[in-house]
Amino acid sequence: MNVKIISGQKYYSLKYGEFVVDKYVNCYEVFIHFLDTGTKVVTSADQIRKGKVKDVNAPTRFGVGYLGEGVYRASENKKNTKAYSIWSAMLKRCYSGHPEFASYKGCTICEEWHNFQNFAKWFYENHIDGFQLDKDFISFGNKVYGPEFCSFVPSEINSFMPRYEKSEAGSYGIAKLSAGFLVHQQENGISTFRQVYPSLQDASNALHSFKKEKAKSLALKWKNNLDYRVYENLIDFNVEHYINSR
């Protein structure tokens, strides 16, 4: 249907909702604004008739994230950019509600980073090739992704962060056996520490000592690449402090 495009009239985008035509110059130059977000767009009459006008400020990613207006692209050569892939994965962890991300329950993303343009700017200023986005090491117990709390760390450090669940022994990271209390640590599926202790207190002391020394060695190894706050938290790492912050 050849719908007539008239200034002041409302029209509808199939994915982004209602908008108003502010000024019709010609069929190739039509000024509009979206009612929900206020986003202003210059489009064509053909796009309006097809309902294909896009709103970059509409929260299309899990009802929260939006591309925003700026220079950073979501894709290049039909492939998602690194910044977009990490931003999208962050949103998915926090807002998809998928059982796979149950450990992220209660985690949120600061409003500033709902806008991909803001995240991408921070990303390209801070990203280190091969490192992973982390929200935990600057402030233990933190549940908010944002520039104040996030940094990039090597996978070796990211995987070091204990994911303790309370065990039958009544403590964390310790298993109760008939012969005593087992402390078992692994890296990449390879056992790095395994020892049975006669008492829970002995096992707990050994675990804490092992983790503290491991954290210190990682801090020293990666010192030149770490945010100073991450470095300090690793140097002074305390298992009980970490557990109590969860």
Coordinates of all heavy atoms in Angstrom, one line a residue, residues 140-208:
F140 N 35.5 -7.1 46.3 CA 34.9 -8.4 46.6 C 33.5 -8.3 47.0 O 33.1 -7.4 47.8 CB 35.7 -9.1 47.7 CG 37.1 -9.5 47.3 CD1 38.1 -9.5 48.2 CD2 37.4 -9.9 46.0 CE1 39.4 -9.9 47.8 CE2 38.7 -10.2 45.6 CZ 39.7 -10.2 46.5
G141 N 32.6 -9.1 46.4 CA 31.2 -9.0 46.7 C 30.4 -8.1 45.8 O 29.2 -8.1 45.9
N142 N 31.1 -7.4 44.9 CA 30.5 -6.5 44.0 C 29.6 -7.2 43.0 O 29.9 -8.3 42.5 CB 31.5 -5.7 43.2 CG 30.9 -4.9 42.1 OD1 30.0 -4.1 42.3 ND2 31.3 -5.2 40.8
K143 N 28.4 -6.7 42.8 CA 27.4 -7.3 41.9 C 27.0 -6.4 40.7 O 26.1 -6.6 40.0 CB 26.2 -7.7 42.6 CG 26.4 -8.9 43.5 CD 25.1 -9.4 44.2 CE 25.3 -10.6 45.0 NZ 25.6 -11.8 44.2
V144 N 27.8 -5.3 40.5 CA 27.5 -4.3 39.5 C 28.6 -4.2 38.5 O 29.7 -3.9 38.8 CB 27.2 -2.9 40.1 CG1 26.9 -1.9 39.0 CG2 26.1 -3.0 41.2
Y145 N 28.2 -4.4 37.2 CA 29.2 -4.2 36.1 C 29.2 -2.7 35.8 O 28.1 -2.1 35.5 CB 28.8 -4.9 34.9 CG 29.1 -6.4 34.9 CD1 28.2 -7.3 35.3 CD2 30.4 -6.8 34.5 CE1 28.5 -8.7 35.3 CE2 30.7 -8.2 34.5 CZ 29.7 -9.1 34.9 OH 30.0 -10.5 34.9
G146 N 30.3 -2.0 35.8 CA 30.4 -0.6 35.5 C 31.9 -0.2 35.6 O 32.8 -1.0 36.0
P147 N 32.2 1.0 35.1 CA 33.6 1.4 35.0 C 34.3 1.5 36.3 O 35.5 1.4 36.4 CB 33.5 2.8 34.3 CG 32.1 3.2 34.5 CD 31.3 2.0 34.5
E148 N 33.5 1.7 37.4 CA 34.1 1.9 38.7 C 34.6 0.6 39.3 O 35.6 0.6 40.1 CB 33.0 2.5 39.7 CG 33.5 2.7 41.1 CD 32.5 3.3 42.0 OE1 31.3 3.6 41.5 OE2 32.7 3.5 43.2
F149 N 34.0 -0.5 38.9 CA 34.3 -1.8 39.5 C 34.9 -2.8 38.5 O 35.3 -3.9 39.0 CB 33.0 -2.4 40.1 CG 32.4 -1.6 41.1 CD1 31.2 -1.0 40.9 CD2 33.0 -1.4 42.4 CE1 30.6 -0.2 41.9 CE2 32.4 -0.7 43.3 CZ 31.2 0.0 43.1
C150 N 35.0 -2.5 37.2 CA 35.4 -3.5 36.3 C 36.9 -3.3 35.8 O 37.3 -2.1 35.7 CB 34.5 -3.6 35.1 SG 32.9 -4.4 35.4
S151 N 37.5 -4.3 35.4 CA 38.9 -4.3 34.8 C 39.0 -5.5 34.0 O 38.2 -6.4 34.0 CB 39.9 -4.2 35.9 OG 40.0 -5.4 36.6
F152 N 40.2 -5.6 33.3 CA 40.5 -6.8 32.5 C 41.6 -7.5 33.2 O 42.6 -6.9 33.6 CB 40.9 -6.4 31.1 CG 39.7 -6.0 30.2 CD1 39.4 -4.6 30.1 CD2 38.9 -6.9 29.6 CE1 38.3 -4.3 29.3 CE2 37.8 -6.6 28.9 CZ 37.5 -5.2 28.7
V153 N 41.4 -8.8 33.3 CA 42.4 -9.7 34.0 C 42.7 -10.9 33.2 O 41.8 -11.3 32.4 CB 41.9 -10.1 35.4 CG1 41.7 -8.9 36.3 CG2 40.7 -11.0 35.3
P154 N 43.9 -11.5 33.3 CA 44.1 -12.7 32.5 C 43.3 -13.9 33.0 O 42.8 -13.8 34.2 CB 45.6 -13.0 32.8 CG 45.9 -12.2 34.1 CD 45.0 -11.0 34.1
S155 N 43.0 -14.8 32.2 CA 42.1 -15.9 32.6 C 42.7 -16.7 33.8 O 41.9 -17.2 34.6 CB 41.9 -16.9 31.4 OG 43.2 -17.4 31.0
E156 N 44.0 -16.7 33.9 CA 44.6 -17.4 35.0 C 44.1 -16.8 36.4 O 43.9 -17.5 37.3 CB 46.1 -17.3 34.9 CG 46.9 -18.0 36.0 CD 48.4 -17.9 35.8 OE1 48.8 -17.0 35.0 OE2 49.1 -18.7 36.4
I157 N 44.0 -15.5 36.4 CA 43.5 -14.8 37.6 C 42.0 -15.0 37.7 O 41.4 -15.2 38.8 CB 43.9 -13.3 37.6 CG1 45.4 -13.2 37.9 CG2 43.1 -12.6 38.7 CD1 45.9 -11.8 37.9
N158 N 41.3 -14.8 36.6 CA 39.8 -14.9 36.7 C 39.3 -16.3 37.2 O 38.4 -16.4 37.9 CB 39.2 -14.6 35.3 CG 37.9 -14.0 35.3 OD1 37.4 -13.5 36.3 ND2 37.1 -14.1 34.2
S159 N 40.0 -17.3 36.8 CA 39.7 -18.7 37.2 C 40.1 -19.0 38.6 O 39.7 -20.0 39.2 CB 40.2 -19.7 36.2 OG 41.7 -19.7 36.2
F160 N 41.0 -18.2 39.1 CA 41.5 -18.4 40.5 C 40.5 -18.1 41.5 O 40.4 -18.7 42.6 CB 42.8 -17.5 40.7 CG 43.1 -17.3 42.2 CD1 43.7 -18.3 43.0 CD2 42.7 -16.1 42.8 CE1 43.9 -18.1 44.3 CE2 42.9 -15.9 44.2 CZ 43.6 -16.9 44.9
M161 N 39.6 -17.1 41.2 CA 38.6 -16.7 42.2 C 37.8 -17.9 42.7 O 37.2 -18.6 41.9 CB 37.6 -15.7 41.5 CG 36.6 -15.1 42.5 SD 37.3 -14.2 43.9 CE 37.6 -12.6 43.1
P162 N 37.9 -18.1 44.0 CA 37.2 -19.3 44.5 C 35.7 -19.2 44.3 O 35.1 -18.2 44.5 CB 37.5 -19.2 46.0 CG 38.7 -18.4 46.1 CD 38.6 -17.4 45.0
R163 N 35.1 -20.4 43.9 CA 33.6 -20.4 43.7 C 33.1 -21.4 44.8 O 32.6 -22.4 44.5 CB 33.3 -21.0 42.3 CG 33.9 -20.2 41.2 CD 33.3 -18.9 41.0 NE 33.9 -18.2 39.9 CZ 33.7 -16.9 39.6 NH1 32.9 -16.2 40.3 NH2 34.2 -16.4 38.5
Y164 N 33.3 -21.0 46.0 CA 33.0 -21.9 47.1 C 31.5 -22.2 47.4 O 30.7 -21.2 47.3 CB 33.6 -21.4 48.4 CG 35.1 -21.4 48.5 CD1 35.7 -20.2 48.8 CD2 35.9 -22.5 48.1 CE1 37.1 -20.1 48.8 CE2 37.2 -22.4 48.1 CZ 37.9 -21.2 48.5 OH 39.2 -21.2 48.5
E165 N 31.2 -23.4 47.6 CA 29.9 -23.8 48.1 C 30.1 -24.5 49.5 O 31.1 -25.2 49.7 CB 29.2 -24.8 47.1 CG 28.9 -24.2 45.8 CD 27.9 -23.1 45.8 OE1 27.1 -23.1 46.7 OE2 27.9 -22.3 44.8
K166 N 29.2 -24.3 50.4 CA 29.4 -24.9 51.7 C 29.3 -26.4 51.6 O 28.4 -26.9 51.0 CB 28.3 -24.4 52.6 CG 28.7 -24.5 54.1 CD 27.8 -23.5 55.0 CE 28.4 -23.5 56.4 NZ 27.7 -22.5 57.2
S167 N 30.3 -27.0 52.2 CA 30.4 -28.5 52.1 C 29.9 -29.2 53.3 O 29.5 -28.6 54.3 CB 31.9 -28.8 51.9 OG 32.6 -28.5 53.1
E168 N 29.9 -30.5 53.2 CA 29.4 -31.3 54.3 C 30.3 -31.1 55.6 O 29.8 -31.2 56.7 CB 29.6 -32.8 53.9 CG 29.0 -33.8 54.9 CD 29.2 -35.2 54.5 OE1 29.7 -35.5 53.4 OE2 28.9 -36.1 55.4
A169 N 31.5 -30.6 55.4 CA 32.4 -30.4 56.5 C 32.0 -29.1 57.2 O 32.5 -28.8 58.3 CB 33.9 -30.2 56.0
G170 N 31.1 -28.3 56.7 CA 30.7 -27.1 57.3 C 31.5 -25.9 57.0 O 31.4 -24.9 57.6
S171 N 32.5 -26.1 56.1 CA 33.4 -25.0 55.7 C 33.3 -24.9 54.2 O 32.5 -25.5 53.5 CB 34.8 -25.3 56.2 OG 35.6 -24.2 56.0
Y172 N 34.3 -24.2 53.6 CA 34.3 -23.9 52.2 C 35.5 -24.5 51.6 O 36.6 -24.3 52.0 CB 34.2 -22.5 51.9 CG 32.9 -21.8 52.3 CD1 32.6 -21.5 53.6 CD2 31.9 -21.6 51.3 CE1 31.4 -20.9 53.9 CE2 30.7 -21.1 51.7 CZ 30.4 -20.7 53.0 OH 29.2 -20.1 53.3
G173 N 35.4 -25.2 50.4 CA 36.6 -25.8 49.8 C 37.2 -27.0 50.5 O 38.3 -27.3 50.2
I174 N 36.5 -27.6 51.4 CA 37.0 -28.7 52.2 C 36.0 -29.8 52.2 O 34.8 -29.6 52.4 CB 37.3 -28.2 53.6 CG1 38.4 -27.1 53.6 CG2 37.8 -29.4 54.5 CD1 38.6 -26.5 55.0
A175 N 36.5 -31.0 52.0 CA 35.6 -32.2 52.0 C 35.9 -33.1 53.2 O 37.1 -33.3 53.6 CB 35.8 -33.0 50.7
K176 N 34.9 -33.6 53.9 CA 35.0 -34.5 55.0 C 35.1 -35.9 54.6 O 34.3 -36.4 53.8 CB 33.8 -34.3 56.0 CG 34.0 -35.1 57.3 CD 32.8 -34.8 58.2 CE 33.0 -35.6 59.5 NZ 31.8 -35.4 60.4
L177 N 36.2 -36.6 55.0 CA 36.4 -38.0 54.7 C 36.5 -38.8 56.0 O 36.6 -38.2 57.1 CB 37.8 -38.1 53.9 CG 37.9 -37.3 52.7 CD1 39.3 -37.6 52.1 CD2 36.9 -37.7 51.6
S178 N 36.4 -40.1 55.9 CA 36.5 -40.9 57.1 C 37.9 -40.8 57.7 O 38.0 -40.9 59.0 CB 36.3 -42.4 56.7 OG 37.2 -42.8 55.8
A179 N 38.9 -40.4 56.9 CA 40.3 -40.3 57.5 C 40.6 -38.9 57.9 O 41.7 -38.7 58.5 CB 41.3 -40.7 56.4
G180 N 39.7 -37.9 57.7 CA 40.0 -36.6 58.1 C 39.3 -35.6 57.2 O 38.2 -35.8 56.6
F181 N 40.0 -34.5 56.9 CA 39.4 -33.4 56.1 C 40.3 -33.1 54.9 O 41.5 -32.8 55.1 CB 39.2 -32.1 56.9 CG 38.3 -32.3 58.1 CD1 38.6 -32.9 59.3 CD2 36.9 -32.0 57.9 CE1 37.7 -33.0 60.3 CE2 36.0 -32.2 58.9 CZ 36.4 -32.7 60.1
L182 N 39.8 -33.2 53.7 CA 40.5 -33.1 52.5 C 40.5 -31.7 51.9 O 39.4 -31.1 51.7 CB 40.0 -34.1 51.4 CG 40.6 -33.9 50.0 CD1 42.0 -34.4 50.0 CD2 39.8 -34.8 49.0
V183 N 41.7 -31.2 51.6 CA 41.8 -29.9 50.8 C 42.4 -30.3 49.5 O 43.5 -30.9 49.4 CB 42.8 -28.9 51.5 CG1 43.0 -27.7 50.6 CG2 42.3 -28.6 52.9
H184 N 41.6 -30.0 48.4 CA 42.1 -30.4 47.1 C 41.9 -29.2 46.1 O 40.8 -28.7 46.0 CB 41.2 -31.6 46.6 CG 41.7 -32.1 45.2 ND1 40.9 -32.8 44.4 CD2 42.9 -32.1 44.6 CE1 41.5 -33.1 43.3 NE2 42.8 -32.7 43.4
Q185 N 43.0 -28.8 45.5 CA 42.9 -27.7 44.6 C 43.4 -28.1 43.2 O 44.3 -28.9 43.1 CB 43.8 -26.5 45.1 CG 43.4 -26.0 46.4 CD 42.1 -25.2 46.3 OE1 41.9 -24.2 45.6 NE2 41.1 -25.7 47.0
Q186 N 42.7 -27.6 42.2 CA 43.1 -27.9 40.8 C 43.2 -26.6 39.9 O 42.7 -25.6 40.2 CB 42.0 -28.8 40.2 CG 41.8 -30.2 40.7 CD 40.8 -31.0 40.0 OE1 39.7 -30.4 39.6 NE2 41.0 -32.2 39.8
E187 N 44.0 -26.8 38.9 CA 44.1 -25.8 37.9 C 44.0 -26.4 36.5 O 44.8 -27.3 36.2 CB 45.5 -25.0 38.0 CG 45.6 -24.1 39.2 CD 46.9 -23.4 39.3 OE1 47.6 -23.2 38.2 OE2 47.3 -23.0 40.4
N188 N 43.0 -26.0 35.7 CA 42.8 -26.6 34.4 C 42.7 -28.1 34.4 O 43.2 -28.8 33.6 CB 44.0 -26.2 33.4 CG 44.1 -24.7 33.3 OD1 43.0 -24.0 33.1 ND2 45.3 -24.2 33.3
G189 N 42.0 -28.6 35.5 CA 41.8 -30.0 35.6 C 43.0 -30.8 36.2 O 42.9 -32.0 36.3
I190 N 44.1 -30.1 36.5 CA 45.3 -30.8 37.0 C 45.4 -30.5 38.5 O 45.3 -29.3 38.9 CB 46.5 -30.3 36.3 CG1 46.4 -30.6 34.8 CG2 47.8 -30.9 36.9 CD1 47.5 -30.1 33.9
S191 N 45.6 -31.5 39.3 CA 45.7 -31.3 40.7 C 47.0 -30.6 41.1 O 48.1 -31.0 40.7 CB 45.7 -32.7 41.4 OG 45.8 -32.6 42.8
T192 N 46.8 -29.5 41.9 CA 48.0 -28.7 42.3 C 48.3 -28.8 43.8 O 49.3 -28.5 44.3 CB 47.9 -27.3 41.9 OG1 46.6 -26.8 42.5 CG2 47.8 -27.1 40.4
F193 N 47.2 -29.3 44.5 CA 47.4 -29.4 46.0 C 46.3 -30.4 46.5 O 45.1 -30.2 46.2 CB 47.2 -28.0 46.6 CG 47.4 -28.1 48.1 CD1 48.7 -27.9 48.6 CD2 46.4 -28.2 49.0 CE1 49.0 -27.9 50.0 CE2 46.6 -28.3 50.4 CZ 47.9 -28.1 50.9
R194 N 46.8 -31.4 47.2 CA 45.9 -32.4 47.7 C 46.4 -32.9 49.0 O 47.5 -33.5 49.0 CB 45.6 -33.5 46.7 CG 44.6 -34.6 47.2 CD 44.5 -35.7 46.2 NE 43.5 -36.7 46.6 CZ 42.2 -36.7 46.4 NH1 41.7 -35.7 45.7 NH2 41.4 -37.6 46.8
Q195 N 45.7 -32.7 50.1 CA 46.2 -33.1 51.4 C 45.1 -33.4 52.4 O 44.1 -32.6 52.4 CB 47.2 -32.1 52.0 CG 47.9 -32.4 53.3 CD 48.9 -33.5 53.1 OE1 49.7 -33.5 52.2 NE2 48.9 -34.5 54.0
V196 N 45.2 -34.4 53.2 CA 44.2 -34.7 54.2 C 44.7 -34.3 55.6 O 45.9 -34.5 55.9 CB 43.9 -36.2 54.3 CG1 42.9 -36.5 55.4 CG2 43.3 -36.7 52.9
Y197 N 43.9 -33.6 56.4 CA 44.3 -33.1 57.7 C 43.4 -33.7 58.7 O 42.2 -34.0 58.5 CB 44.2 -31.6 57.7 CG 45.1 -30.9 56.7 CD1 44.8 -30.7 55.4 CD2 46.4 -30.5 57.2 CE1 45.7 -30.1 54.5 CE2 47.3 -30.0 56.3 CZ 46.9 -29.8 55.0 OH 47.8 -29.2 54.1
P198 N 43.9 -33.9 60.0 CA 43.1 -34.5 61.0 C 42.0 -33.7 61.5 O 41.0 -34.2 62.0 CB 44.2 -34.7 62.1 CG 45.2 -33.7 61.9 CD 45.3 -33.6 60.4
S199 N 42.0 -32.4 61.4 CA 41.0 -31.5 61.9 C 40.5 -30.5 60.9 O 41.3 -30.2 60.0 CB 41.4 -30.8 63.2 OG 42.4 -29.8 62.9
L200 N 39.3 -30.0 61.1 CA 38.8 -29.0 60.2 C 39.6 -27.7 60.2 O 39.8 -27.1 59.2 CB 37.3 -28.7 60.5 CG 36.6 -27.6 59.7 CD1 36.6 -28.0 58.2 CD2 35.2 -27.4 60.2
Q201 N 40.0 -27.4 61.4 CA 40.8 -26.2 61.6 C 42.1 -26.3 60.9 O 42.6 -25.3 60.2 CB 41.1 -25.9 63.1 CG 41.8 -24.6 63.4 CD 40.9 -23.4 62.9 OE1 39.8 -23.2 63.3 NE2 41.5 -22.6 62.0
D202 N 42.8 -27.4 60.9 CA 44.0 -27.6 60.2 C 43.8 -27.5 58.7 O 44.6 -26.9 58.0 CB 44.7 -29.0 60.5 CG 45.2 -29.1 62.0 OD1 45.5 -28.0 62.5 OD2 45.3 -30.2 62.5
A203 N 42.7 -28.1 58.2 CA 42.4 -28.1 56.8 C 42.1 -26.7 56.4 O 42.6 -26.2 55.3 CB 41.3 -29.0 56.5
S204 N 41.4 -25.9 57.2 CA 41.0 -24.6 56.8 C 42.3 -23.7 56.8 O 42.5 -22.9 55.9 CB 40.1 -24.0 57.9 OG 39.7 -22.7 57.6
N205 N 43.2 -23.9 57.7 CA 44.4 -23.1 57.8 C 45.3 -23.4 56.5 O 45.9 -22.4 55.9 CB 45.2 -23.4 59.0 CG 44.6 -22.9 60.3 OD1 43.7 -22.0 60.2 ND2 45.0 -23.4 61.4
A206 N 45.3 -24.6 56.1 CA 46.1 -25.0 55.0 C 45.5 -24.4 53.7 O 46.3 -23.9 52.8 CB 46.2 -26.6 54.9
L207 N 44.2 -24.5 53.6 CA 43.5 -24.0 52.4 C 43.8 -22.5 52.3 O 44.1 -21.9 51.2 CB 42.0 -24.2 52.4 CG 41.2 -23.6 51.3 CD1 41.6 -24.1 50.0 CD2 39.7 -23.8 51.6
H208 N 43.6 -21.8 53.4 CA 43.8 -20.3 53.3 C 45.2 -19.9 53.0 O 45.5 -19.0 52.3 CB 43.4 -19.7 54.7 CG 41.9 -19.8 55.0 ND1 41.3 -19.2 56.0 CD2 40.9 -20.5 54.3 CE1 40.0 -19.5 56.0 NE2 39.8 -20.3 55.0

